[in-house]
Amino acid sequence: MLLYPKDLKEKLEFTRVIEYIREECLSEMAGHYFEELEIQSSLEVIEQLINETDEYKKSLERGEHLPISHFESISDDVALLRKEGYVLDIESIRRIYVVVSIGLDLTKYFQEPEKTRFNPLISRIVSAILIDKVLITEIDRVLDEEGEVRPDASPELLRISKHIKSKERELDKIFNSELESFKSKGFLVENAESIRNGRRVLTVAAEHKRKVPGIIHDESATGKTFYIEPEKVVALNQEVYNLYAERRHEIYKILRALCSFIRPYADPLLVVQHTLIKLDTVRAKARFAYRINARKPYLQQKPVFGFKEAYNPVLLLKNEASGIPVIPFDLELHGNNRILVLSGPNAGGKSVAMKSVGLLQLMIQSGMLVSADENSKFGIFEKIFVDIGDQQSLEDDLSTYSSHLRNMKVTTGEADRNTLVLIDEFGSGTDPRIGGAIAEAILNDLNHKKAFGVITTHYSNLKFFAFKAQGIVNGSMEFDKQHLIPTFRMSVGKPGSSFAYEIAAKTGLDDRIIKYAQHRTGKNEKAIDDMLISLMAEKKEYEDKLASLLEKQDRLDRLITSYEQLSADIEIKKKKMKLEAREKEAISTLQHQKEVQKLIKEIKQSKDEEKALQAAIALKKKQEDEARELEALKMEVFAREITSGGPKLEVGSHARLRNGTSIGEIISIDKNMAELQVGFMKMKVPIIELVGVKEPIEMKKKSVVTNLATAERHETKIDIREYTKSDALSMLQSFLDRALINNAHELRIIHGIGTGVMRKEVRKMLQQYKDVKEIWHPDPEQGGEGVTLVRL
């Protein structure tokens, strides 16, 4: 991605946007990420970043609060932890504890199916966290809520802690006794005690220092007060001091053991941190987007201008306190138009509109939502060039105009059809005639190279060039002539006037001076401007009429296509009706065959084996003939459907079962079988049982709303009596799969009582389906144990 000049982001105020987003970050690492944020040119990468941000923003709009809070970097701590035998300090362990706690809280949050369904992309980010909660348990066992080592972190520490408390109570008792004794004798000053060298001492008047036995720790600056540790507590103080030393040693051993416990988790800890930083960046972008009411527009790889109701987010936040409204603008270039030449009065909003285009483009290509209508269209540019403001350089000994020309040299040398060029006050800084001519030549070169751009100017020759050149269109910032104030509204299709004389008169400039200026410019200048505006208005009118005719032609073409499709659909429906009739016939035949099988069974029981064999062979042949005939008819109908121009069945496309309405995605195809993903369920079905459909709106929006409507009634009862065990279970499996796809609620399975084998097999199969909520048998008069009822 080429950005020129190097301060392009500052000129377009993209750095201000970054500052606003960094304020939303919970960690310094996320802030560093935005400092070094790359502008992307891959549509796939940009869409992924934007979709994540949009999903998080929607969670904010729903009032959801993901359990993520402030955390600090643990990279250095983990690097030290990797060294065998190294012992981290308590502060480092607390940082690790915070990161792990947040990671576990997020994992727990997304264990709720509802949260995962509404936030699939965020859930996928969090799914990278694989850390054992035993880590938190162990740290909690050692450290308390304040981050201090618990007194009972080990039996030895508990013993030492109890001993310290006991000795300190004894020490306090003796010291207080000594204090009262010497105080009553008048040896102590007003503040009877103090702390010196970590020990309680008596504040003794200088004249009595030899009357108080003990160790002198200090004396006051004036020499009038001595700080003495009474002799009776010296030995006890030393014992307490030694106990604290033992305590410190034991704490070191405990922390060393804790670090040894944490050390194997070094890599997973860094994964958790990386995941939290990623989530923090998404959260920050989403919160900023929520603040400026940013949306997700349509994206496409090729460059395009399709801004609707767009506005500058920096200007919005700047005007937030004062309550000044920000006027949105539309920028849609149709046909082969790629460059907008924007003219109009000074302070009318030309530069703001031009910079807004660049700013929004940088935002979208860095994975942010943009302050524009969601129906806006954004393309992807691989090069962006900007020439804005005073380019004077004392270091390079360049004047303002020379610096502009240097920028144009780089721009024209690098520009191509994937380039965006933004130029403010094009051609200014030198003699207007020469500057205008050079600007026109540069504009012609950029147009020839198929570059895209927004250029602001006051020069009439550039407006006229835009009028006659293919690929360039005029635009203007509207002006209220009655009140002589800019409206800040952009209009594409006609050039604007600078209204210099009108504005000069409003500012109070002497009328005599204005008249002299008008005389010098003559009437021709004004006439050319007026004529150009008139011609542009007529041109726009003709272009609108042409667009209307093209739209009508397109509608007519669609109607013809629809008619041809309808004709093909009617033919398919005829075949389907025939197929349905044969299927009903087949079901009727199946019932008859059950009776024949019963008859064969009776013949077998009557010992007439030959007759039973002939009847079975005849029955099997009839079944095979009918199945072949039905299959041929099916294939004919399905072949018609496939060649009728419907969606092709392939991996990644969407389809539904012919007798259902739930739509799934084809995830694999193996010969004549396809694997279909419907919600959270996968199933293998013959390809001929599938109907190709367009991706549903719910899936396009990444929603998880299930369509509960069923277009065809699904059977909720099956009778598997008189079938072999394998045939019965195969029929049952197919029956259950179709019931789930068609969102059935209660099912009735008739299997008979017999020896109870089939009843057990049915229950065993039902228990394999996690969607089965309840299994029971009805009352004896309704079938008892010969019938199994199922609630899904």
Side-chain angles (χ1 to χ4, degrees):
M1 185 75 195
L2 175 59
L3 302 177
Y4 184 86
K6 59 185 179 182
D7 60 347
L8 176 145
K9 293 181 180 179
E10 287 82 1
K11 288 183 179 296
L12 295 177
E13 296 191 277
F14 183 68
T15 49
R16 296 276 288 127
V17 170
I18 295 299
E19 286 172 18
Y20 285 124
I21 295 177
R22 286 188 63 196
E23 290 173 6
E24 303 289 351
C25 293
L26 295 169
S27 64
E28 284 186 16
M29 295 81 74
H32 294 327
Y33 166 83
F34 286 112
E35 282 179 0
E36 301 170 3
L37 187 63
E38 291 183 16
I39 308 300
Q40 304 290 335
S41 58
S42 165
L43 180 63
E44 185 180 353
V45 172
I46 293 168
E47 283 185 330
Q48 177 69 21
L49 293 170
I50 286 176
N51 289 336
E52 290 168 353
T53 306
D54 187 51
E55 185 175 283
Y56 204 116
K57 175 177 170 275
K58 286 176 180 174
S59 76
L60 294 175
E61 291 170 344
R62 289 193 299 270
E64 291 184 37
H65 297 284
L66 271 67
I68 180 171
S69 53
H70 172 74
F71 60 97
E72 297 177 51
S73 174
I74 60 170
S75 299
D76 293 341
D77 301 325
V78 172
L80 293 172
L81 184 66
R82 289 183 189 278
K83 298 177 181 178
E84 195 63 38
Y86 191 89
V87 180
L88 296 175
D89 57 37
I90 291 177
E91 201 54 45
S92 297
I93 296 172
R94 278 185 58 76
R95 284 195 289 268
I96 290 173
Y97 179 86
V98 170
V99 168
V100 176
S101 295
I102 296 173
L104 289 173
D105 287 344
L106 285 166
T107 303
K108 183 179 178 182
Y109 182 84
F110 283 106
Q111 283 175 351
E112 295 182 36
E114 194 77 4
K115 306 296 186 188
T116 303
R117 284 202 299 272
F118 279 111
N119 306 287
L121 298 177
I122 305 301
S123 172
R124 192 178 304 161
I125 293 172
V126 173
S127 66
I129 298 175
L130 299 171
I131 198 82
D132 199 330
K133 64 181 179 181
V134 71
L135 198 56
I136 285 291
T137 306
E138 184 63 16
I139 296 175
D140 273 334
R141 187 188 67 78
V142 173
L143 302 181
D144 61 17
E145 293 77 8
E146 303 299 322
E148 299 296 329
V149 177
R150 296 180 185 275
D152 58 350
S154 74
E156 180 62 16
L157 185 61
L158 182 61
R159 182 192 68 76
I160 294 170
S161 298
K162 287 181 178 179
H163 202 176
I164 287 173
K165 284 184 180 179
S166 172
K167 289 294 180 182
E168 284 181 338
R169 282 196 297 270
E170 185 181 348
L171 186 62
D172 287 343
K173 185 178 178 182
I174 295 172
F175 184 88
N176 291 334
S177 174
E178 290 288 279
L179 177 70
E180 290 302 321
S181 172
F182 291 119
K183 189 176 182 180
S184 63
K185 294 176 181 178
F187 295 168
L188 307 181
V189 297
E190 187 177 351
N191 295 323
E193 67 171 292
S194 184
I195 300 290
R196 286 293 184 276
N197 300 324
R199 299 193 179 192
R200 288 176 73 184
V201 292
L202 300 173
T203 54
V204 183
E207 60 270 24
H208 301 298
K209 68 177 182 179
R210 299 190 184 280
K211 299 175 184 176
V212 178
I215 298 173
I216 298 174
H217 282 271
D218 198 6
E219 66 177 294
S220 66
T222 60
K224 293 181 179 180
T225 304
F226 283 79
Y227 300 95
I228 301 174
E229 180 184 1
E231 187 178 37
K232 290 184 178 179
V233 300
V234 170
L236 268 175
N237 262 330
Q238 191 58 43
E239 282 188 55
V240 171
Y241 178 81
N242 292 338
L243 285 171
Y244 271 106
E246 286 182 44
R247 182 177 181 274
R248 284 193 297 274
H249 181 67
E250 181 61 23
I251 286 175
Y252 179 83
K253 286 170 59 180
I254 292 167
L255 293 179
R256 185 173 61 188
L258 179 59
C259 289
S260 296
F261 183 85
I262 299 172
R263 189 165 289 113
Y265 295 94
D267 289 333
L269 283 172
L270 291 179
V271 171
V272 176
Q273 177 178 255
H274 176 76
T275 303
L276 295 190
I277 295 170
K278 167 69 175 174
L279 198 58
D280 191 9
T281 60
V282 175
R283 173 188 176 275
K285 289 190 294 181
R287 285 177 64 86
F288 176 70
Y290 183 78
R291 183 178 174 187
I292 64 170
N293 195 27
R295 307 290 180 84
K296 181 180 85 169
Y298 290 106
L299 282 170
Q300 59 186 60
Q301 183 66 56
K302 67 177 184 179
V304 67
F305 283 143
F307 297 12
K308 293 183 179 180
E309 293 292 311
Y311 52 91
N312 191 305
V314 175
L315 187 61
L316 176 77
L317 296 175
K318 180 183 175 183
N319 292 353
E320 205 171 38
S322 60
I324 300 173
V326 176
I327 309 299
F329 67 90
D330 293 349
L331 176 55
E332 293 185 81
L333 299 186
H334 301 290
N336 296 320
N337 292 328
R338 300 176 313 281
I339 299 176
L340 176 70
V341 174
L342 194 57
S343 52
N346 284 319
K350 299 189 303 296
S351 298
V352 171
M354 181 266 298
K355 288 171 70 174
S356 298
V357 170
L359 176 58
L360 295 178
Q361 194 64 47
L362 288 179
M363 287 175 65
I364 203 75
Q365 289 192 223
S366 58
M368 300 179 194
L369 302 178
V370 290
S371 48
D373 187 88
E374 58 191 6
N375 293 313
S376 299
K377 291 180 182 176
F378 279 73
I380 307 301
F381 293 96
E382 294 178 3
K383 302 173 185 177
I384 301 178
F385 296 93
V386 165
D387 186 57
I388 299 173
D390 185 0
Q391 305 287 321
Q392 190 173 37
S393 173
L394 296 178
E395 283 184 11
D396 298 333
D397 194 24
L398 289 174
S399 68
T400 298
Y401 187 66
S402 298
S403 187
H404 283 308
L405 289 179
R406 184 181 63 177
N407 287 346
M408 290 304 98
K409 175 190 172 185
V410 175
T411 302
T412 53
E414 295 284 348
D416 57 28
R417 62 180 62 250
N418 295 312
T419 298
L420 172 62
V421 179
L422 304 171
I423 306 174
D424 194 25
E425 299 295 346
F426 198 23
S428 63
T430 189
D431 181 278
R433 285 198 307 162
I434 298 172
I438 293 174
E440 185 177 320
I442 293 170
L443 182 57
N444 180 54
D445 186 70
L446 292 174
N447 187 38
H448 179 71
K449 290 179 175 177
K450 309 294 184 186
F452 286 71
V454 177
I455 293 166
T456 70
T457 187
H458 288 286
Y459 288 176
S460 295
N461 70 305
L462 295 182
K463 301 178 198 176
F464 187 72
F465 182 76
F467 167 71
K468 67 179 183 178
Q470 291 290 326
I472 308 177
V473 64
N474 273 300
S476 61
M477 301 307 295
E478 295 178 358
F479 190 76
D480 185 345
K481 293 181 183 179
Q482 184 178 355
H483 300 95
L484 297 178
I485 56 172
T487 65
F488 303 108
R489 297 188 183 279
M490 188 165 77
S491 174
V492 176
K494 62 179 182 179
S497 171
S498 62
F499 294 99
Y501 295 134
E502 291 84 350
I503 294 171
K506 188 188 177 187
T507 58
L509 192 64
D510 194 307
D511 188 53
R512 179 173 47 83
I513 296 173
I514 294 172
K515 283 182 179 178
Y516 178 85
Q518 287 175 330
H519 174 72
R520 292 297 297 166
T521 55
K523 296 179 180 179
N524 289 340
E525 191 73 25
K526 176 69 173 171
I528 289 171
D529 251 13
D530 291 344
M531 183 181 70
L532 191 58
I533 291 170
S534 175
L535 285 171
M536 285 301 298
E538 289 179 15
K539 183 182 178 184
K540 190 171 189 309
E541 182 183 348
Y542 290 134
E543 285 176 347
D544 289 345
K545 286 180 179 178
L546 179 60
S548 176
L549 285 172
L550 290 172
E551 184 183 353
K552 287 177 181 176
Q553 180 64 45
D554 185 50
R555 285 179 60 195
L556 180 61
D557 291 343
R558 287 202 302 270
L559 281 170
I560 292 170
T561 305
S562 297
Y563 171 78
E564 291 172 349
Q565 182 66 43
L566 186 62
S567 177
D569 287 348
I570 291 171
E571 186 63 30
I572 290 171
K573 282 180 181 176
K574 285 181 183 177
K575 294 287 183 181
K576 276 189 174 180
M577 288 171 67
K578 185 177 178 183
L579 178 60
E580 286 168 5
R582 290 307 308 269
E583 283 180 338
K584 286 180 182 176
E585 202 176 299
I587 292 168
S588 174
T589 304
L590 190 63
Q591 296 297 327
H592 175 68
Q593 288 169 356
K594 282 186 183 179
E595 295 174 8
V596 174
Q597 284 178 339
K598 207 179 277 186
L599 180 62
I600 291 171
K601 193 175 181 182
E602 290 173 3
I603 293 171
K604 281 184 179 178
Q605 288 172 352
S606 65
K607 306 298 183 183
D608 194 344
E609 295 289 339
E610 184 63 29
K611 190 175 179 181
L613 181 61
Q614 290 175 359
I617 292 170
L619 178 61
K620 185 176 181 182
K621 187 175 184 305
K622 186 178 179 183
Q623 286 176 334
E624 289 173 350
D625 291 344
E626 288 180 348
R628 275 196 299 272
E629 188 177 347
L630 195 59
E631 189 67 21
L633 188 56
K634 272 187 181 181
M635 291 302 292
E636 185 182 351
V637 173
F638 300 158
R640 280 265 187 178
E641 283 187 340
I642 291 168
T643 57
S644 66
K648 188 178 179 183
L649 295 176
E650 57 188 4
V651 175
S653 65
H654 293 78
R656 64 171 174 81
L657 287 177
R658 295 188 178 277
N659 64 344
T661 58
S662 295
I663 295 173
E665 182 181 350
I666 298 174
I667 56 178
S668 69
I669 295 178
D670 184 15
K671 295 181 181 178
N672 295 324
M673 298 294 290
E675 189 172 11
L676 193 67
Q677 175 90 46
V678 182
F680 294 102
M681 184 173 66
K682 292 181 183 177
M683 63 184 69
K684 288 192 175 182
V685 292
I687 290 179
I688 61 170
E689 293 293 333
L690 297 176
V691 178
V693 296
K694 292 181 179 179
E695 184 179 357
I697 292 172
E698 290 84 352
M699 290 189 180
K700 285 181 181 174
K701 291 185 177 178
K702 306 298 180 191
S703 173
V704 292
V705 178
T706 305
N707 181 8
L708 296 178
T710 51
E712 300 177 23
R713 180 175 177 80
H714 178 262
E715 286 294 331
T716 58
K717 181 179 77 172
I718 185 172
D719 186 350
I720 56 174
R721 293 175 296 179
E722 307 298 334
Y723 288 95
T724 63
K725 178 181 169 184
S726 61
D727 288 345
L729 292 178
S730 178
M731 288 171 64
L732 178 59
Q733 184 178 10
S734 178
F735 170 75
L736 291 171
D737 289 344
R738 293 177 188 276
L740 287 170
I741 291 172
N742 287 278
N743 304 300
H745 182 58
E746 285 191 358
L747 306 175
R748 185 181 183 88
I749 303 169
I750 305 170
H751 45 69
I753 299 175
T755 59
V757 173
M758 188 56 74
R759 182 180 74 249
K760 291 177 182 176
E761 290 295 331
V762 167
R763 179 173 285 270
K764 184 177 177 182
M765 178 173 284
L766 290 170
Q767 288 171 345
Q768 294 174 6
Y769 286 80
K770 64 179 181 180
D771 297 283
V772 173
K773 185 178 180 182
E774 188 178 355
I775 306 171
W776 79 99
H777 299 293
D779 296 332
E781 59 270 18
Q782 294 180 344
E785 293 192 348
V787 175
T788 295
L789 301 178
V790 183
R791 181 173 290 117
L792 300 176

